[in-house]
Each structure stands twice: as C-alpha cells, then as structure tokens.
Amino acid sequence: MPRIFDFGGREVERGITVAGLRALKGSGRHAAQVTAETADEAAAAEAAGVEMVVCRAVNVAKVREGSKKVFVTAALGFADAITAEEVLRTAFSAIVAGADAVITGRGWDTVKMLSAEQIPVMGHLGFVPRKSTWVGGVRAVGKTADEALDLFDRFRRLEDAGAFAVECEVIPAAVMAEINRRTGLVTVSLGSGPDADVIFLFTSDICGEVKRLPRHARAWGDLASLHQKVRDERVKALSGFRADVASGGYPGEAENARIPENELARFQEASNGRQE
C-alpha cells in the first residue's frame, strides 16, 4: 500500500493515489467509488475493499475518522463556496483535513485556479443534476452525434484546464467508451457504463435505502426494511412509555432512588420544623 504525505503534512497510507488512478487507464482494471458522509460509512467502504469515497467538503474530518486508507474526494458545493477566494479556502481546508482531491461542477476558470495550486481536481460532466435545466430534464447526455461531440469538447476543455479526473454521469455507454479512449482524464462512471477507469454508485442505492432506484443503479442490500423496523420499534417503545406514564406503571419501585428510613425520618422532622 503506497505511503505518501497528505496535504496536511501527515505520513499516511492510501489504497490508491492520483498516480495509481492514472495508471488504471488502458489496464482493464477498475477502482470503485461510493459516497460516505460519516465515519461509519467510510469504515464500511474500507472494510468492503472500496478504494474511493466522495463526501461533502465539510465532512472530510468525519470520514477520515472512519478510514485512513480510502481515497477521499471532497465535493465543493455550489453554495458552500462561491467566490474564487471562498472556493480556494474551502478546497485547502478539505485537503488539509485529509481529502486527496476535490470535485467541482464549476467552470474552467475554477478548475484552472485549483489545479494551479496542484490540488487534484475532478470535474463533473454529462448529466449534472443542478444544471439539468440546460438539457431539459432528467436524461442521458450524449444521445445524438452533435450532443456527444459537444460533450467530448467539454472533456477536452476540462483536461486543458488541469483536471486529473471527471465524474461522468448518465452518458450512453458506447459514447463513454469512445471518449474514454480519447481522453487522458481518469473517468468515473456514474450510470455511464463499464468502460471507465472508476465505477461509482451512491451508498444509499447500493445498500437499498431508497424505494425507487435510478435506472443505472442496483441494490445489494435492503436497509430500507431495516430502517422501517427501527422506526416501528421506536414508535412501539415510545407508545409503551406513554402508556405506563398514564397508568402510573412508570416510574416503578425498581427505577426509584432510595433513602434510608432513618435519614428520611430526620429529613421529615427537620423540614416540619422549618415550616413552622
């Protein structure tokens, strides 16, 4: 496992590095990426052998509590950092806290600014949910030759801006395969087929936490049923508590603190005297 110094100056081990991700291109091997916002989720990803996680920038420290080895990409939210100074400050805070890279859906100038500081930057192309008004709805991007060519131009501009990787969301698999052969970017497929360097799914989809999966997702678990059992058990327990309060069944003798009889008698005598 590679030993590196992170951006916080700590000597650490990582399951994969930027150099390792670049080495995936053309190798026929893939890394896996999932979401993680908590220490528990990060620890589960590491235990499962997942190499990469993505989280909100503010949650990097929590994620690092759960795993010191996964490759962490910090998402720079549109509203979390707006001006160039805010973006740069947020990015540096995230990598000093333990992130290995940042991801942004902002423009080329933002990518250039971050990459100029040698911060590993991942872009976001294809279907970008917060920009979906431009494509008219929730749909795959690149389903016509013209749209695929425009998308390819965006890949090239992103690479020219200094990004090392790109999240490729809901791009037709055949288009993704063609672009992957023509770009030096590390490609991260979210619903864009198998011909990318990294395969990405949300942990909530993988674990079956949602009732309706996106078309590109698959569930390997059924946490939704377990969560429902937890909710039902919580209501059951609270209902029992409320009923026992109403009936006088709680608190009972077992839950009450005790005072020796002689001390109680002394207290009663003394307090009676004070009332007079």
Side-chain angles (χ1 to χ4, degrees), residues 227-241:
H227 290 329
Q228 187 59 53
K229 288 180 181 178
V230 169
R231 288 191 291 270
D232 292 344
E233 192 67 18
R234 182 179 291 115
V235 172
K236 175 184 172 183
L238 291 170
S239 298
F241 164 70

Side-chain angles (χ1 to χ4, degrees), residues 23 46-47 75 92 134 139 147 152 172 180-181 191 219-220 245 265 273 275:
E46 180 182 307
F92 270 112
W134 290 100
R139 65 170 181 85
E147 194 171 68
F152 181 45
N180 192 51
R181 285 194 285 269
W220 284 263
V245 168
Q275 278 186 318

Side-chain angles (χ1 to χ4, degrees), residues 196-253:
D197 306 307
V198 180
I199 306 301
F200 175 31
L201 270 184
F202 281 35
T203 292
S204 56
D205 292 338
I206 294 167
C207 295
E209 294 187 66
V210 294
K211 292 181 179 179
R212 182 176 176 272
L213 285 172
R215 178 180 176 179
H216 64 263
R218 184 190 302 176
W220 284 263
D222 187 15
L223 283 184
S225 294
L226 293 178
H227 290 329
Q228 187 59 53
K229 288 180 181 178
V230 169
R231 288 191 291 270
D232 292 344
E233 192 67 18
R234 182 179 291 115
V235 172
K236 175 184 172 183
L238 291 170
S239 298
F241 164 70
R242 186 65 190 90
D244 279 356
V245 168
S247 68
Y250 179 85
E253 189 63 27

Side-chain angles (χ1 to χ4, degrees), residues 153-186:
D153 285 342
R154 290 174 180 271
F155 272 77
R156 291 193 294 179
R157 290 200 295 274
L158 185 62
E159 188 171 1
D160 289 343
F164 88 98
V166 55
E167 179 183 323
C168 311
E169 187 165 352
V170 198
I171 296 169
V175 174
M176 184 73 257
E178 292 294 330
I179 290 177
N180 192 51
R181 285 194 285 269
R182 292 168 167 81
T183 182
L185 293 166
V186 174

Side-chain angles (χ1 to χ4, degrees), residues 6 46 56 58 84 144 172 178 186 200 236 248 269 274:
D6 69 7
E46 180 182 307
R56 292 177 58 205
V58 294
T144 67
E178 292 294 330
V186 174
F200 175 31
K236 175 184 172 183
E269 181 180 353
R274 292 187 181 183

Side-chain angles (χ1 to χ4, degrees), residues 63-234:
V63 168
R64 274 288 170 235
E65 289 174 8
S67 174
K68 305 299 182 187
K69 297 179 180 179
V70 296
F71 187 101
V72 175
T73 300
L76 307 179
F78 285 108
D80 297 335
I82 299 172
T83 67
E85 182 179 349
E86 289 170 345
V87 169
L88 203 57
R89 182 182 295 110
T90 302
F92 270 112
S93 294
I95 59 175
V96 169
D100 300 288
V102 299
I103 180 170
T104 179
R106 299 284 293 273
W108 320 123
D109 288 343
T110 298
V111 175
K112 287 179 183 177
M113 176 185 67
L114 294 168
S115 64
E117 297 292 343
Q118 292 192 300
I119 297 172
V121 186
M122 183 183 296
H124 189 178
L125 294 176
F127 176 70
V128 182
R130 288 173 177 79
K131 298 179 179 179
S132 57
T133 187
W134 290 100
V135 297
V138 179
R139 65 170 181 85
V141 175
K143 295 183 73 172
T144 67
D146 287 343
E147 194 171 68
L149 282 168
D150 178 70
L151 183 62
F152 181 45
D153 285 342
R154 290 174 180 271
F155 272 77
R156 291 193 294 179
R157 290 200 295 274
L158 185 62
E159 188 171 1
D160 289 343
F164 88 98
V166 55
E167 179 183 323
C168 311
E169 187 165 352
V170 198
I171 296 169
V175 174
M176 184 73 257
E178 292 294 330
I179 290 177
N180 192 51
R181 285 194 285 269
R182 292 168 167 81
T183 182
L185 293 166
V186 174
T187 52
V188 180
S189 171
L190 178 60
S192 299
D195 293 304
D197 306 307
V198 180
I199 306 301
F200 175 31
L201 270 184
F202 281 35
T203 292
S204 56
D205 292 338
I206 294 167
C207 295
E209 294 187 66
V210 294
K211 292 181 179 179
R212 182 176 176 272
L213 285 172
R215 178 180 176 179
H216 64 263
R218 184 190 302 176
W220 284 263
D222 187 15
L223 283 184
S225 294
L226 293 178
H227 290 329
Q228 187 59 53
K229 288 180 181 178
V230 169
R231 288 191 291 270
D232 292 344
E233 192 67 18
R234 182 179 291 115

